[in-house]
Amino acid sequence: MRREVPLFITLIVGVVFVLQYFIPHYPFNRMNGWFSDWFSIVAAFAIWLGALNLLKISFMKIINRKSDWFYALVIILSFGLMVTVGFAGGEAYREPGTVFSWLYDHVYTPLSATMFAILAFFVASASYRAFRARNLEASLLLGAAFFVMLGRVPIGDWLTSFLPEGYRLPQLATWIMNFPQTAGQRAIMIGIALGLVSTSLRIILGIERSHLGSE
Amino acid sequence: MDHFAVWIAAFLTMGIVSFLYKDNPWYKLSEAIFVGISAGYWFIALFWDSIYSKFWLGKEADPFLWVGVFLGVLMLLRLIPKIGWISRWPLAFIVGCTSGLYLINFLASNLMRQVQATIQPLFGPDFGASLYAAVGSIVIVVGTFSGLVYFFFSKEHKGAFGATAKLGIWFIMITFGASFGYTVMSRMSLLIGRIDFLLTDWLGLIR
């Protein structure tokens, strides 16, 4: 029951998804529709599971008076506030003028944008380590990043303004992105596709079982 | 209300930025608010957009949809350790769906279409393509082929095979460098956006 049923479910669902591509007719198209709907419902429950788990851990932190328990309380209160105004707002919860949309615009958006923005500083320190031209490979990495960054800002155009049109830094950056970058990206994408196809086959056939965990 | 909103946003923005100095209570408070608000946001968004729209949005719900709800409830059993193993069933369903979908989609789009896009005529029937485009096409064919050779680990990278793999790693390094540069630019643009907000909307130093 603990291993056989999940393996059977994976096999059936995986095979139906593959078959419906080649035979897009009844009953496979119908089953594909159901499975897609169920997928989005289960995915919603999975996100809820994550949120409820976060609440559970936060409550445990407060009850056991662990260090930083106050921030666990803040998490619970913020979550509670967002959920309350979200349910209270009804179907139009996201419309401009609702409390939910106000919280989204003035709390969620600034926080998420700043969270990603400060990564610029960490990226800068990572660049210092990665971009030391120790060998040819590292120099190519450095050169490509340098020309792409410089080619995307006005100073790049200004620095090479004495060159004829078409040979300036912005055009070089575009050339790097369009050709050598595309070639490398394509090799990586084809490699990923081959790996994904073989891994998917292994999962569907039950050879790969690590996602089920131990007994 | 607008002033209050700007002050709240500025307070939280500065709280996150303060982490650059060191981990501190202001950052921890802003981070806790971010975690709670984003968890709440997704909780609500998925309820209205995924569950409500399927079951209550003025149409007769397909009774088979309840199977999805049943699987979803089984997923929540993970919170109860004694019967948590039942959550493997919906997990197996998700893994099966993803595997079946990826097997076909990646085969069709990432493999077949990419190969097709790589193998293109250098010039059109009327030799209409420019030299620039023709050279670019050669670079793409050579780069893709040598990059794939580099990823082939079943044969030792020696001789002509090794030289091709070496060329492949050069192309891959250029790809990583260009992607890195692009990522840096996007993070910088986000940072500029936040600084612009602080200087313009909050402090009013830029008008």
Side-chain angles (χ1 to χ4, degrees), chain B residues 175-186:
Chain B
T175 303
F176 286 154
S179 306
F180 193 90
Y182 225 69
T183 310
V184 171
M185 294 304 284
S186 68

Side-chain angles (χ1 to χ4, degrees), chain B residues 28-68:
Chain B
K28 282 181 182 166
L29 179 72
S30 308
E31 186 196 35
I33 293 172
F34 179 53
V35 171
I37 289 283
S38 40
Y41 172 80
W42 286 110
F43 195 95
I44 288 298
L46 286 166
F47 172 77
W48 290 113
D49 300 345
S50 200
I51 305 291
Y52 178 82
S53 63
K54 280 190 172 54
F55 287 94
W56 290 287
L57 207 57
K59 60 175 182 187
E60 187 88 6
D62 185 345
F64 277 98
L65 286 180
W66 289 100
V67 178

Side-chain angles (χ1 to χ4, degrees), chain A residues 1-3 5-6 9-10 13-14 17-18 21-22 30 34-35 37-49 51-54 56 68 70-71 74-75 78-79 82-83 86-87 90-91 93-94 100 102 104 106-108 110-123 127 131 136-137 140-141 144-145 148-149 152-153 175-194 196-197 200-201 203-204 211-215, chain B residues 1 4-5 8-9 12-13 16-17 19-20 25 27-52 54-55 57 62 64-65 67-69 71-73 75-76 78-79 85 88-104 106-108 110-111 114-115 117-118 132 136-137 139-140 143-144 147-148 151 166 169-182 184-185 187-188 190-191 194:
Chain A
M1 283 288 271
R2 292 190 181 204
R3 292 188 81 82
V5 175
I9 293 172
T10 307
V13 173
F17 263 99
V18 174
Y21 182 82
F22 297 104
R30 188 81 194 273
W34 287 336
F35 287 171
D37 281 336
W38 296 353
F39 184 91
S40 61
I41 294 170
V42 177
F45 274 91
I47 298 283
W48 288 357
L49 173 68
L52 293 174
N53 202 31
L54 175 74
K56 184 183 160 190
D68 287 348
F70 171 73
Y71 302 108
V74 174
I75 290 176
S78 319
F79 177 81
M82 202 66 172
V83 169
F87 279 127
E91 289 173 62
Y93 71 103
R94 238 196 295 227
F100 190 90
W102 189 91
Y104 180 81
H106 301 294
V107 178
Y108 179 79
L111 278 170
S112 64
T114 315
M115 208 50 117
F116 286 109
I118 62 166
L119 285 181
F121 292 94
F122 301 112
V123 164
S127 323
F131 285 174
L136 181 62
E137 283 85 3
L140 284 170
L141 188 89
V148 166
M149 284 192 280
R152 301 275 167 190
V153 287
W175 189 84
I176 290 173
M177 291 304 288
N178 285 351
F179 300 113
Q181 199 274 145
T182 303
Q185 195 77 41
R186 214 163 258 175
I188 293 168
M189 281 168 79
I190 293 172
I192 289 173
L194 289 170
L196 258 167
V197 168
S200 297
L201 263 178
I203 289 173
I204 291 170
H211 62 285
L212 296 175
S214 57
E215 284 296 331
Chain B
M1 194 66 174
F4 179 64
I8 288 278
L12 295 171
T13 300
I16 298 293
V17 172
F19 183 73
L20 293 174
Y27 171 75
K28 282 181 182 166
L29 179 72
S30 308
E31 186 196 35
I33 293 172
F34 179 53
V35 171
I37 289 283
S38 40
Y41 172 80
W42 286 110
F43 195 95
I44 288 298
L46 286 166
F47 172 77
W48 290 113
D49 300 345
S50 200
I51 305 291
Y52 178 82
K54 280 190 172 54
F55 287 94
L57 207 57
D62 185 345
F64 277 98
L65 286 180
V67 178
V69 175
L71 285 171
V73 173
M75 181 73 108
L76 295 183
R78 203 174 186 87
L79 292 168
W85 60 271
R88 286 177 182 177
W89 296 1
L91 188 70
F93 173 77
I94 291 281
V95 170
C97 282
T98 315
S99 304
L101 210 62
Y102 278 11
L103 199 154
I104 291 302
F106 274 78
L107 201 64
N110 274 37
L111 190 60
Q114 294 301 326
V115 172
T118 306
Y132 173 82
S137 296
V139 168
I140 286 182
T144 307
L148 282 172
F151 286 125
K166 187 92 179 156
I169 192 70
W170 291 349
F171 272 96
I172 289 165
M173 280 296 156
I174 292 173
T175 303
F176 286 154
S179 306
F180 193 90
Y182 225 69
V184 171
M185 294 304 284
R187 299 291 177 236
M188 280 296 169
L190 270 174
L191 182 66
R194 295 323 296 158

